[in-house]
Amino acid sequence: MNTTPWTVAPEPYDSPAAAALWRAYYTEVSDRWYLLHKGHTTDPVELQHGLATESGSELAPPHGQLLLARYAGEPAGTAGVRLVDAVTAELTRVYVREDLRGKGGAALLVAAAEDVARALGAAAIRLDTRSDLVEARALYARLGYEETAAHNDDIYAEHWFRKPLAPCPPSRADAPRPSRTSPR
């Protein structure tokens, strides 16, 4: 019997729950950067511009997917996957609400994202992150991602990771899993 409060399922990138979590994620990482480099949080006008610029449309089928984690039924986090070429997927927008961190949601989201990447035909998954996002870097290392040379020139990317993906068993290779819950 599975009694975990976590579930993960595909979600439209522009749903109200996804939009609210995108705002929380973007605000947190933007504010962290500005506080570190400029000594203040993100200007509200710049924050709104950044949110509007990054719609998330690349995380829609057939070449991508946004996953939404719920904790006890409430929106709690996201992870996005998009194909960058025929055999490589990119992991993005990995976020868990601050009040729910340390409860296994991030690892569950990443595992579900890897399942989606495999179902999309990817043999490897990559990502980039910043130096100040130490928790993210520790998570990826713990989950088997290896730091690599740069794969893009994003001005905010300072660390690049990659992980080979074992093929899906034949019975699972047809489509992304509709839902995932943590094992307990």
Side-chain angles (χ1 to χ4, degrees):
M1 180 169 128
N2 188 349
T3 59
T4 180
W6 287 104
T7 60
V8 175
E11 180 83 9
Y13 71 89
D14 56 355
S15 76
L21 288 165
W22 169 234
R23 175 176 276 287
Y25 166 84
Y26 192 86
T27 301
E28 181 179 333
V29 297
S30 182
D31 282 352
R32 281 177 76 161
W33 190 90
Y34 271 95
L35 284 168
L36 181 65
H37 296 281
K38 305 290 185 180
H40 61 80
T41 58
T42 313
D43 176 87
V45 172
E46 185 170 339
L47 182 67
Q48 195 57 38
H49 174 74
L51 287 164
T53 303
E54 306 255 349
S55 74
S57 62
E58 72 280 6
L59 303 177
H63 302 292
Q65 182 67 65
L66 182 73
L67 299 167
L68 189 121
R70 293 181 185 275
Y71 186 84
E74 294 296 317
T78 62
V81 176
R82 69 181 186 91
L83 286 177
V84 293
D85 61 39
V87 296
T88 310
E90 186 165 57
L91 179 62
T92 186
R93 294 193 185 193
V94 177
Y95 173 75
V96 173
R97 286 186 0 219
E98 189 172 7
D99 61 314
L100 295 172
R101 292 180 187 158
K103 297 179 183 282
L108 188 63
L109 274 163
V110 171
E114 290 171 359
D115 286 346
V116 168
R118 281 185 199 91
L120 291 171
I125 190 165
R126 71 182 195 191
L127 64 97
D128 63 69
T129 192
R130 298 188 328 231
S131 291
D132 62 310
L133 301 177
V134 294
E135 306 91 342
R137 291 185 7 245
L139 170 73
Y140 301 132
R142 187 174 78 243
L143 296 178
Y145 286 76
E146 293 185 6
E147 197 153 355
T148 65
H151 59 255
N152 64 29
D153 59 0
D154 185 320
I155 62 169
Y156 297 109
E158 298 169 313
H159 297 270
W160 296 264
F161 290 85
R162 184 175 181 88
K163 181 179 181 179
L165 298 173
C168 284
S171 63
R172 289 187 21 204
D174 298 337
R177 294 170 69 175
S179 181
R180 184 180 182 106
T181 57
S182 65
R184 282 199 190 193

